[in-house]
Amino acid sequence: MNSSLDSTDTGQTPLHLTPGHWLWRSTTRHWSLLINKRSIVVNATLTLILLACALSSLALGTLSITIPDVILALQGKGTTMHTFVLEELRGPRLLAGALAGASFALAGCLMQTLARNRLATPGIIGIDNAATAFAVASVVGVGISAAPHTMALVGAAVATALAFGLAGATGTRGYRFIIAGLAIGAVSGAITQVMLSSVALDDANAAYPWTVGSLNARAPAAVNALIIGLIVGYTLSLFLNRALATLQLPEPVTASLGTRSGRVRVAGLILSVLLTGLAVSVAGPVGLIALLGPELARTISRPGSIPLTASALSGAILMVLSDLAGRLVFSPLEIPVGIIAALAGSPYLLWILLHKSPDINR
Amino acid sequence: MNQFMTMSKINSPRAPLAAQSLMMSHGPHTIIPHLDIELRTGEVTAIVGPNGCGKSTLLNGLARIHKPRQGTIVLDGADIHTLPARDVARKLALLPQDNSAPEGLTVTDLIRFGRHPHQSWLSQWSEDDERAVRKALRAADVGDLANRPLDTLSGGQRQRAWIAMSIAQETQLLLLDEPTSALDLGHQIEVFELIRALASQGKTIAMVVHDLVSACRYADHIIAMCHGEIVTEGTPSKVITTNLIAELYGVACDLMHDPVSGSPILVNIRRVHPAKPAEIT
């Protein structure tokens, strides 16, 4: 009956209002779910790619292991040598890389959406640098005794609070926040250099991985914290998703649709900082992942959706690939993952600045 | 004006949205020092006045976008700032001047955003949502454009799509900030007629309008503002006088009446004090 009404109204077949979605409604009309088909396809594809990258990352290196041997070893049936390489060396490194990449990119996606600006990623606005400065301070022992990865988290929080404070309450959108963050990042970078140049060479060497981003220096405690942080952060960000979607519209419309944008922004910012701090504490400042991951995800996702899951998956893929490339290209010499990510990401950053609007909607 | 009279008028039960002793600031600058206003049920109210007179600020205050420095805004008898944001969003929709949307978003995608205050995690696309969006598509006459990306539409079509989003919100009140700015004559008429149609269905509408003739033609009630204060208000034919226009815009003009609708038309508009040759450099 309903459809006949529609067809008389429009004079033709009833219009499909939710193209590209699956709709489930309970017969009692108590609930209804609308699932975006494209996001399912995109996320499934990215998961497969991530698995392929992970397997390659486990198999390739100074000691190459064939994929069947990798699978045997994962089942506990491999040789002692293979089991050692996979369980002690490559496995934990892969896990740390994938988790850190996912965190960086999820944090980037959140912050870009909150600020409605592509350039507003934690790496670019100096959160990474501040986290690094605090971690280095801890490594070289500038009067601080907490572990480097704890200090990284503290640094991320301090930088964000400062940027937020300097930009003013309404400044998270647009340029004020970015400019304030840039300044904080520059100061943090300078402080890091001062610390490195004023301590003994051994201390400076110990702090080096922190300054470029590397998966060599990961501490098990930091990885454990990252696992928990990512699970919590990802779950909470999914709850923000509906509100985040409305943030894409002009500010007055967002408010008029009933979104408390101030609250959403603070919540998203806290999540973003937490994820970034934890990721830096594991992998150092590999901030460009936070720019590249969400961008890749946004390109392949449906317009108008906030690709949180796809960003996290893309970030993990990019991180695993960067680390793999760093291990293989000049093997046996290893290039830190941060340098690979910077080499791959900087041209892209330049391209955004030259050819694309920083506005996330364009 | 007599304070008593104003108060009793605002407390009348028929005003769905009213402001009492409203003071709005922008940083250290006071935009609206003291203002009382009430919207009339089922009528179109046009807010007119020169640039910078506080029209948009007033609209943003009424829509709960910005918090007033002082005074209260009463929505359906309750202080708007004590109501949950979601409840307000089910009663009041605002369409600002700047309407930018994510690239690639289609008309239907946009209109579906209007259902946001009615949805939740467990109710993402109810039959009510579907009905409201269909109704909005029809009312704003954008059914044929339903699956077109917004960036491929003309200005008038895009504005109708945005209004459709507000219609889908199914609010009793609709506030529009210059709904026809940047539209050509034909598209302006389209949008104004849509606004009239919505009012005839019982919606209470307030709009900021620059064009006085259109304001007179399409509004039931005109509020003239200057320097953050209401200069005068009433029906177009009562309010619009040559004195008022001189006061608001500093121009002299003659008034005629539209032979068809009877609403005032401004002709022979000129500066009150023509610039002396020496002043032109």
Side-chain angles (χ1 to χ4, degrees):
Chain A
M1 183 197 158
N2 212 338
S3 67
S4 72
L5 238 174
D6 282 330
S7 51
T8 48
D9 279 344
T10 55
Q12 51 192 321
T13 50
L15 187 65
H16 193 30
L17 296 182
T18 54
H21 288 81
W22 281 300
L23 172 65
W24 285 291
R25 277 196 193 128
S26 73
T27 44
T28 53
R29 300 185 181 186
H30 282 314
W31 56 266
S32 55
L33 289 178
L34 199 60
I35 309 284
N36 185 338
K37 287 181 195 170
R38 182 138 144 204
S39 73
I40 300 280
V41 173
V42 163
N43 292 338
T45 312
L46 288 174
T47 306
L48 287 179
I49 295 173
L50 178 59
L51 284 177
C53 294
L55 273 180
S56 319
S57 176
L58 289 174
L60 299 171
T62 33
L63 173 79
S64 280
I65 307 172
T66 62
I67 300 280
D69 280 348
V70 169
I71 292 164
L72 273 182
L74 290 179
Q75 291 168 337
K77 296 173 197 158
T79 65
T80 324
M81 182 64 167
H82 287 170
T83 309
F84 172 75
V85 168
L86 293 179
E87 284 186 3
E88 298 299 320
L89 302 177
R90 289 184 198 161
R93 185 184 180 116
L94 169 70
L95 183 69
L99 291 173
S103 289
F104 273 127
L106 183 56
C109 181
L110 281 170
M111 200 171 277
Q112 286 177 330
T113 311
L114 298 174
R116 259 178 46 149
N117 195 312
R118 277 196 172 82
L119 299 178
T121 64
I124 292 176
I125 66 161
I127 297 183
D128 289 19
N129 274 356
T132 304
F134 275 65
V136 167
S138 163
V139 174
V140 301
V142 185
I144 302 160
S145 55
H149 55 265
T150 316
M151 289 309 295
L153 199 56
V154 174
V158 168
T160 315
L162 274 177
F164 202 61
L166 289 174
T170 55
T172 33
R173 172 167 291 184
Y175 287 97
R176 279 178 70 86
F177 188 64
I178 296 174
I179 300 295
L182 278 174
I184 291 162
V187 171
S188 307
I191 292 174
T192 305
Q193 294 305 320
V194 168
M195 285 190 290
L196 287 180
S197 58
S198 59
V199 296
L201 197 59
D202 283 351
D203 283 342
N205 272 338
Y208 172 72
W210 283 102
T211 63
V212 290
S214 160
L215 289 172
N216 271 339
R218 55 184 200 271
V223 177
N224 290 339
L226 176 59
I227 293 174
I228 296 166
L230 184 57
I231 292 172
V232 173
Y234 174 68
T235 313
L236 292 180
S237 69
L238 288 185
F239 278 101
L240 280 183
N241 199 349
R242 259 171 46 80
L244 287 174
T246 63
L247 285 189
Q248 302 175 97
L249 301 173
E251 178 108 38
V253 178
T254 308
S256 159
L257 290 175
T259 299
R260 308 287 296 262
S261 49
R263 287 185 189 181
V264 173
R265 224 165 256 158
V266 169
L269 202 60
I270 290 172
L271 285 181
S272 183
V273 169
L274 179 80
L275 289 165
T276 305
L278 289 171
V280 170
S281 75
V282 165
V286 198
L288 278 169
I289 299 288
L291 180 76
L292 297 177
E295 200 58 40
L296 174 64
R298 206 168 281 118
T299 313
I300 55 181
S301 295
R302 187 184 162 83
S305 63
I306 311 292
L308 295 172
T309 310
S311 295
L313 289 168
S314 306
I317 291 169
L318 293 171
M319 190 76 158
V320 169
L321 279 182
S322 300
D323 186 49
L324 184 62
R327 286 195 289 125
L328 293 183
V329 176
F330 292 108
S331 169
L333 205 67
E334 193 183 300
I335 304 172
V337 63
I339 293 178
I340 299 287
L343 283 175
S346 304
Y348 182 72
L349 180 58
L350 205 58
W351 181 71
I352 290 185
L353 289 173
L354 295 178
H355 292 290
K356 268 190 126 153
S357 158
D359 187 334
I360 213 158
N361 284 344
R362 294 283 153 255
Chain B
M1 191 185 272
N2 184 335
Q3 187 75 19
F4 244 178
M5 258 185 67
T6 321
M7 294 297 288
S8 62
K9 206 173 89 183
I10 279 164
N11 288 334
S12 64
R14 64 204 172 92
L17 185 66
Q20 289 165 274
S21 313
L22 185 68
M23 176 180 174
M24 304 271 310
S25 309
H26 199 283
H29 308 287
T30 300
I31 312 286
I32 295 173
H34 186 274
L35 186 147
D36 295 302
I37 184 177
E38 72 171 25
L39 300 184
R40 295 142 164 261
T41 311
E43 287 194 357
V44 177
T45 301
I47 304 169
V48 300
N51 287 335
C53 72
K55 302 180 300 262
S56 297
T57 307
L58 173 62
L59 215 58
N60 284 335
L62 289 175
R64 199 182 185 270
I65 308 297
H66 298 310
K67 217 176 168 168
R69 180 65 64 82
Q70 275 169 31
T72 42
I73 289 153
V74 181
L75 173 67
D76 270 349
D79 181 348
I80 202 168
H81 285 277
T82 62
L83 295 170
R86 200 177 146 91
D87 291 2
V88 175
R90 288 176 177 186
K91 291 180 173 172
L92 187 157
L94 170 82
L95 211 53
Q97 243 178 300
D98 155 46
N99 287 335
S100 56
E103 195 174 17
L105 202 76
T106 66
V107 171
T108 321
D109 287 340
L110 178 71
I111 298 175
R112 291 215 317 260
F113 269 116
R115 297 305 296 167
H116 186 262
H118 300 272
Q119 294 171 331
S120 67
W121 276 104
L122 283 177
S123 175
Q124 300 181 352
W125 188 244
S126 68
E127 284 167 26
D128 285 343
D129 294 335
E130 193 158 337
R131 206 173 303 122
V133 170
R134 265 184 219 291
K135 210 174 124 193
L137 278 165
R138 215 178 307 130
D141 193 23
V142 284
D144 295 340
L145 311 169
N147 291 319
R148 289 261 301 273
L150 287 170
D151 20 327
T152 66
L153 303 184
S154 73
Q157 291 171 329
R158 205 175 304 139
Q159 187 64 332
R160 289 210 315 260
W162 279 95
I163 293 177
M165 185 197 81
S166 304
I167 296 173
Q169 209 173 326
E170 294 197 317
T171 57
Q172 151 205 7
L173 281 145
L174 181 57
L175 308 184
L176 305 139
D177 195 352
E178 292 189 34
T180 58
S181 65
L183 296 187
D184 65 36
L185 189 62
H187 289 131
Q188 285 183 25
I189 303 304
E190 251 173 41
V191 168
F192 279 128
E193 286 187 349
L194 172 56
I195 290 168
R196 281 266 35 129
L198 292 173
S200 70
Q201 289 159 22
K203 265 193 210 294
T204 304
I205 297 172
M207 57 183 184
V208 167
V209 186
H210 258 303
D211 177 20
L212 269 184
V213 177
S214 303
C216 294
R217 174 89 199 268
Y218 293 101
D220 303 296
H221 192 78
I222 290 202
I223 294 178
M225 283 182 73
C226 199
H227 302 305
E229 286 173 2
I230 294 180
V231 180
T232 177
E233 60 176 298
T235 56
S237 47
K238 267 191 195 156
V239 165
I240 300 298
T241 59
T242 49
N243 281 344
L244 177 75
I245 287 156
E247 187 182 347
L248 293 186
Y249 303 103
V251 295
C253 68
D254 297 321
L255 283 181
M256 287 176 60
H257 289 277
D258 184 322
V260 182
S261 67
S263 67
I265 300 176
L266 280 57
V267 292
N268 189 22
I269 305 171
R270 62 213 181 262
R271 292 185 60 166
V272 177
H273 306 292
K276 291 170 200 142
E279 283 175 2
I280 301 167
T281 50

